Amino acid sequence: MARLSLAACAVAFHLCLLVSSSASLRWLSDKPAAVTTAGGVRTRSAYHFQPAKNWQNDPNGPMYHNGVYHLFYQYNPLGATWGTGNLSWGHSVSRDLVNWVTLDTALDPTAPFDSNGCWSGSATILPGGIPALLYTGRIGTGKGMQVQNVAFPKNPADPLLREWVKPAYNPVIPLPADVPGDNFRDPTTAWVGRDGMWRIAVAAKVGGPNGIASTLIYRSKDFRHWKRNTLPLYTSRAAGMVECPDLFPVAEPGVEEGLLGYVSGTVSGTVRHVLKLSVMNTTQDYYMVGRYDDAADTFVPELDNERILDDFRTWRRFDYGHVYASKSFFDMRKNRRVLWAWASESDNMDDDIAKGWSGVQTVPRKVWLDGDGKQLRQWPIEEIETLRSKRVVGLLGAQVNAGGVNKIVGVGAQADVEAIFEISSLEEAETFEPNWLLDPQKLCEEKGASVPGGVGPFGLLVMASGDMQEHTAVFFRVFRQNDKYKVLMCTDLSKSSTRDGVYKPPYGAFVDMDIEAHGGIISLRTLVDHSVVESFGGGGRTCITARVYPDHVVNGNSHLYVFNNGTGAVKVSSLDAWEMATATVNVLPDGLIAASSVSRAQAY
Ligand SMILES: *[C@@H]1O[C@H](CO)[C@@H](O)[C@H](O)[C@H]1NC(C)=O
Ligand SMILES: *[C@@H]1O[C@H](CO)[C@@H](O)[C@H](O)[C@H]1NC(C)=O
Ligand SMILES: *[C@@H]1O[C@H](CO)[C@@H](O)[C@H](O)[C@H]1NC(C)=O
């Protein structure tokens, strides 16, 4: 193994310990053996989590336990496609949520109650510090039948919790009579209610094939015998089926700390909660802020004027790009709520098979309730910044005039970019048409980066080829609506790749902020990671993650630009860009053991 530099040491502390302590370090190749196309290597993420090879989808059971972060994920050990019936729980551990050690699969479809797949679920740390996994077992062929199972660590004293045991008394929750077999899944982390009993939420379609998308509550005294509440936590007629529910408490508006919440007493009527549902019909994650009524075990959304209960298009989303099946956990180490989400590939299955892998996770994001009490804010966890290596101070106070494009030298396909834009005057804002409200994505399509406007489009061009034939535009555009302004944020993929067979939509959403009250100032942070462009607009009010597959990466470099195609001038009041180091995401476990045999003090 090559020697790590001191800088890399500071970044990847457990690897440093490895170097100083163990000569027998083995690596899983970061480049899957099956890769024959150059694109497969060049599009592989450098700091977004992905296993060494094969398929991954939903993040499962994230937790922080005994000084170690655990991430489980839906994983097909047999290949780069979904493989319905073969899904296992992949398992990786970390001390910093950035660098990961890969372990053997934690759950495999080997028991009668999960013979056709170990599907998504959650982790709960029981009193006494024993973690429990709840997951969906899929039985039988065809559409199969779904049940809920529990698993415990074989040896709770193993710091890495490598082996998991599925008790023979599973399933702990059989399929209910009023739910079609393939519509009952994804148990949440459990919490304790007022009556001292455990509760979990499970997604189900209730009442036959045309049933209602429901989030059912089950209660238990002993984590083994579960009984369904008569009332669901939440139902919606707007969606055929929902998946991966997530219910979590948030602190007061504007307070960035997270709440554990799932402890008796704190889940009171005064704390706001967030309910997230993954809607199958659109494969998008939606959330609502509201109250969890812990007497009735129901969720009551707090609606503002623009949100309509039975129309999911009006719900807010964690991410308006290409992510699904998100899951959050409370990180006790830093008192924050952290969100993971799956960003699937958007090229095509043949490419996935050729490159030998499919799917990445977004960077872990801190989530909190905005000062307005209505929307969530998200920001990459601060640990990601340990990967910032070369800093490129770009434009400071530079004006980007109409049609202007400024190149930021030294930043390419693996970067973290933070820009603050200052709009000189809102005078030129185009007039907003109310019928645009429900379809910002379409608006981004009609008014892409190359359609000149009044205030904007302005923003970043990332993953740009030298000749600019390929580029991904992440930008804002401001409209006037009566005496207010509306900020549109887009990630426009139409020029992202010259390749065919690649999904190149525009993504878009409004940024819920009063740009005038903010003095015309708006920020944009974009994480560029080869095939991932993950953006946080307006301080994390609006997030858009896209997957891109530019052709130029095969034998050319990628570049970064700032642009403005509006008639009004825009000042870049600050722009910081860093080249990002590569995280070590697939180290084998003897590494970590070697690490922990060295003085622990060194690791913190
Ligand atoms: C599971 O894997 C086996 C072996 O590769 C394969 O034959 C089978 O089709 C897979 N099953 C499903 C449901 O994907
Ligand atoms: C799901 O989507 C399809 C196609 O867009 C639509 O026709 C159908 O009504 C949707 N179903 C529900 C329950 O929303
Ligand atoms: C800006 O607009 C001009 C004119 O439509 C276009 O040629 C140019 O490509 C646009 N810039 C970007 C970044 O799309």
Side-chain angles (χ1 to χ4, degrees):
M1 182 200 140
R3 287 184 52 188
L4 288 170
S5 70
L6 268 181
C9 267
V11 169
F13 53 79
H14 61 254
L15 284 179
C16 267
L17 295 178
L18 291 178
V19 171
S20 57
S21 66
S22 157
S24 66
L25 177 67
R26 285 184 294 136
W27 292 82
L28 271 190
S29 168
D30 235 16
K31 295 177 177 60
V35 168
T36 48
T37 54
V41 177
R42 301 300 291 266
T43 59
R44 197 171 161 80
S45 64
Y47 62 93
H48 282 77
F49 178 87
Q50 59 178 137
K53 58 180 180 177
N54 296 330
W55 168 274
Q56 78 166 332
N57 55 296
D58 311 1
N60 291 153
M63 65 172 165
Y64 180 68
H65 184 61
N66 287 345
V68 177
Y69 290 103
H70 294 255
L71 176 66
F72 303 90
Y73 46 91
Q74 289 286 285
Y75 181 63
N76 179 5
L78 299 172
T81 57
W82 185 38
T84 336
N86 292 317
L87 285 172
S88 294
W89 276 38
H91 185 192
S92 290
V93 291
S94 170
R95 293 196 196 278
D96 61 3
L97 287 170
V98 173
N99 299 290
W100 295 87
V101 166
T102 189
L103 303 176
D104 285 343
T105 48
L107 302 172
D108 295 295
T110 51
F113 45 80
D114 63 16
S115 56
N116 238 318
C118 296
W119 283 17
S120 289
S122 309
T124 304
I125 295 166
L126 304 182
I130 307 287
L133 302 179
L134 281 162
Y135 71 99
T136 298
R138 188 167 164 276
I139 314 170
T141 51
K143 286 187 168 179
M145 184 205 274
Q146 294 166 8
V147 297
Q148 314 314 323
N149 300 319
V150 69
F152 298 100
K154 186 170 177 188
N155 172 14
D158 171 11
L160 304 186
L161 303 174
R162 268 168 287 208
E163 288 181 83
W164 292 80
V165 178
K166 305 179 274 193
Y169 60 68
N170 276 310
V172 288
I173 307 180
L175 179 74
D178 56 350
V179 173
D182 58 338
N183 287 280
F184 182 53
R185 56 182 172 272
D186 309 335
T188 61
T189 297
W191 70 96
V192 177
R194 266 194 203 178
D195 55 9
M197 289 177 77
W198 287 108
R199 283 155 170 75
I200 54 169
V202 183
K205 185 191 275 188
V206 176
N210 297 316
I212 300 173
S214 306
T215 307
L216 305 177
I217 294 275
Y218 283 83
R219 288 189 296 158
S220 173
K221 274 200 174 73
D222 58 5
F223 227 79
R224 172 170 172 179
H225 302 92
W226 295 87
K227 195 164 178 287
R228 175 172 153 191
N229 278 4
T230 316
L231 268 185
L233 175 73
Y234 193 75
T235 58
S236 173
R237 290 185 182 277
M241 174 66 185
V242 295
E243 313 181 90
C244 304
D246 197 8
L247 177 73
F248 59 87
V250 281
E252 287 159 49
V255 174
E256 294 187 21
E257 274 96 72
L259 293 179
L260 175 58
Y262 302 138
V263 167
S264 185
T266 64
V267 202
S268 75
T270 59
V271 175
R272 281 199 184 81
H273 280 70
V274 172
L275 176 66
K276 185 278 297 192
L277 298 170
S278 301
V279 174
M280 264 187 90
N281 216 25
T282 55
T283 49
Q284 283 166 356
D285 283 8
Y286 301 85
Y287 75 85
M288 279 214 174
V289 177
R291 309 273 170 176
Y292 163 61
D293 175 342
D294 70 348
D297 269 338
T298 54
F299 177 79
V300 186
E302 284 178 350
L303 296 176
D304 54 50
N305 297 339
E306 288 179 6
R307 266 143 269 281
I308 304 157
L309 268 192
D310 276 344
D311 187 343
F312 269 100
R313 292 172 305 170
T314 67
W315 287 45
R316 295 180 197 266
R317 288 163 57 185
F318 284 141
D319 195 300
Y320 293 83
H322 199 70
V323 308
Y324 191 56
S326 59
K327 185 171 288 284
S328 74
F329 75 106
F330 178 69
D331 174 5
M332 257 173 278
R333 180 170 167 241
K334 294 211 166 180
N335 277 331
R336 59 188 173 183
R337 183 151 291 270
V338 174
L339 181 87
W340 284 101
W342 166 48
S344 66
E345 301 306 304
S346 58
D347 46 358
N348 58 63
M349 203 192 279
D350 290 342
D351 287 350
D352 294 349
I353 292 168
K355 68 194 187 210
W357 55 270
S358 178
V360 304
Q361 303 293 336
T362 59
V363 295
R365 302 172 179 178
K366 185 168 93 165
V367 184
W368 72 97
L369 185 62
D370 181 55
D372 72 4
K374 295 176 184 169
Q375 65 182 324
L376 294 176
R377 301 271 292 272
Q378 297 167 72
W379 202 245
I381 53 155
E382 58 192 3
E383 289 88 333
I384 288 293
E385 293 165 27
T386 60
L387 294 175
R388 289 173 170 176
S389 54
K390 197 173 82 192
R391 180 164 185 231
V392 179
V393 181
L395 307 175
L396 273 178
Q399 194 101 333
V400 193
N401 294 317
V405 173
N406 291 27
K407 185 169 180 176
I408 315 297
V409 179
V411 200
Q414 205 171 306
D416 182 354
V417 188
E418 280 195 69
I420 296 176
F421 298 98
E422 209 175 316
I423 300 159
S424 316
S425 160
L426 290 164
E427 282 291 294
E428 317 246 345
E430 302 156 80
T431 305
F432 187 78
E433 291 176 21
N435 64 347
W436 289 341
L437 204 58
L438 280 181
D439 204 346
Q441 183 154 353
K442 184 149 172 273
L443 186 53
C444 289
E445 184 173 8
E446 287 168 7
K447 292 179 178 289
S450 62
V451 179
V455 179
F458 63 87
L460 302 172
L461 301 180
V462 302
M463 294 299 287
S465 56
D467 61 3
M468 291 284 260
Q469 288 300 306
E470 290 184 319
H471 60 258
T472 297
V474 187
F475 62 89
F476 300 113
R477 195 167 192 129
V478 182
F479 298 92
R480 183 199 308 275
Q481 188 182 27
N482 304 320
D483 55 350
K484 292 244 190 286
Y485 295 92
K486 225 154 169 69
V487 181
L488 178 72
M489 174 174 165
C490 306
T491 295
D492 179 0
L493 299 195
S494 58
K495 302 258 170 56
S496 61
S497 174
T498 49
R499 277 174 58 194
D500 295 328
V502 171
Y503 184 52
K504 291 178 269 193
Y507 295 110
F510 296 105
V511 186
D512 192 350
M513 67 182 276
D514 183 343
I515 187 86
E516 206 177 12
H518 279 80
I521 293 173
I522 188 164
S523 70
L524 175 62
R525 180 167 179 194
T526 295
L527 299 171
V528 182
D529 191 2
H530 301 269
S531 59
V532 186
V533 177
E534 184 171 355
S535 301
F536 301 80
R541 290 176 176 83
T542 300
C543 306
I544 300 179
T545 300
R547 301 298 310 277
V548 298
Y549 307 90
D551 208 25
H552 72 264
V553 297
V554 176
N555 43 31
N557 291 327
S558 292
H559 307 277
L560 170 73
Y561 297 86
V562 177
F563 82 101
N564 177 17
N565 244 343
T567 49
V570 173
K571 196 168 117 186
V572 185
S573 38
S574 81
L575 189 145
D576 293 290
W578 292 264
E579 209 173 86
M580 293 291 268
T582 299
T584 53
V585 290
N586 287 301
V587 179
L588 281 184
D590 44 357
L592 195 75
I593 291 166
S596 49
S597 68
V598 178
S599 160
R600 219 159 239 269
Q602 287 177 44
Y604 291 96

